[in-house]
Amino acid sequence: SFYSKLSLFLFLFLFPLIIMKNYSKKIIFKPKKKIIIQTPKQIASFLAYRVISNLKIINKISTDNKAKYHFILQPLLFASTNKTKLDKKIINYVGNTKYQSFDYANFCIEYYNYLLLGLKQENEMLNNYSDFSDIFKNVNNQRFVDPVHFGSIGQSECAKIIGDKLISQEKKTNNKL
C-alpha cells in the first residue's frame, strides 16, 4: 500500500515535469516575432538618440571622476567626395545590399546626420567630440577597405589627426593652469 501511494505521488508529481520538459523550449519560451516596419530615418534617429544618451552617461561619469574623454566620429566612405575605383565598387556592392528593404548607404548617411545634429544640440558635449567623418573628403587615393574601415594609410593619417587634436587640447588645458 505504501509503495503504491508513493508511486502514485511520484507519477502525479513527475509526469507534469516530463511534459514541461518536452514542450518548454518549443512553446513556452518561444520568442514572439513582432514585425516592426521602420524607415531608415526612424532607425537612424533612434540609434543616434541611444548613442547620445550613452555619451551623456560617459560625460557624467568622467566629470564625477575628474577624467577626460573625447568622442570621435570616425571617417565614413559615404562622406568622401573623390572616390577611387575600389571605393565605387564597395559603394556599389553595399548599395545593392538591402537590409529590411533599405540600403546601407542611406542609413549610414542618415545616422551620421542625426548624430551630428544631436551632438551639436547638447551643450555639455560641445567640447567633447570631434567629427572626423569627412577627413578623407578630398583625398584621391585609396583609404577605405569597406564603407567604415580603412587600411594602413588611412589609419596612419587618422591617428596623426587624432594625436594632433589631443595634443592641442592638452596644450590648452596646460595654458589655463
Side-chain angles (χ1 to χ4, degrees), residues 30-91:
K30 184 177 181 181
K32 295 179 181 176
K33 293 182 181 180
K34 282 187 177 180
I35 299 174
I36 299 173
I37 299 174
Q38 293 177 319
T39 66
K41 286 186 177 190
Q42 291 171 325
I43 295 171
S45 174
F46 175 73
L47 288 177
Y49 170 78
R50 296 280 304 264
V51 169
I52 292 169
S53 296
N54 288 338
L55 289 173
K56 286 180 182 180
I57 293 169
I58 292 169
N59 187 36
K60 177 72 173 134
I61 292 169
S62 67
T63 303
D64 290 348
N65 291 304
K66 297 177 180 71
K68 297 177 188 175
Y69 85 98
H70 200 83
F71 174 72
I72 297 172
L73 194 57
Q74 74 179 44
L76 182 67
L77 177 60
F78 304 117
S80 65
T81 53
N82 297 335
K83 295 176 179 53
T84 65
K85 288 180 182 179
L86 182 57
D87 289 342
K88 290 176 185 176
K89 284 182 181 180
I90 292 169
I91 288 175

Side-chain angles (χ1 to χ4, degrees), residues 80-115:
S80 65
T81 53
N82 297 335
K83 295 176 179 53
T84 65
K85 288 180 182 179
L86 182 57
D87 289 342
K88 290 176 185 176
K89 284 182 181 180
I90 292 169
I91 288 175
N92 187 36
Y93 175 76
V94 171
N96 291 332
T97 303
K98 301 289 183 189
Y99 176 74
Q100 293 185 359
S101 77
F102 60 88
D103 64 298
Y104 183 69
N106 285 336
F107 168 74
C108 284
I109 291 168
E110 291 294 332
Y111 170 67
Y112 269 50
N113 289 338
Y114 280 114
L115 192 56

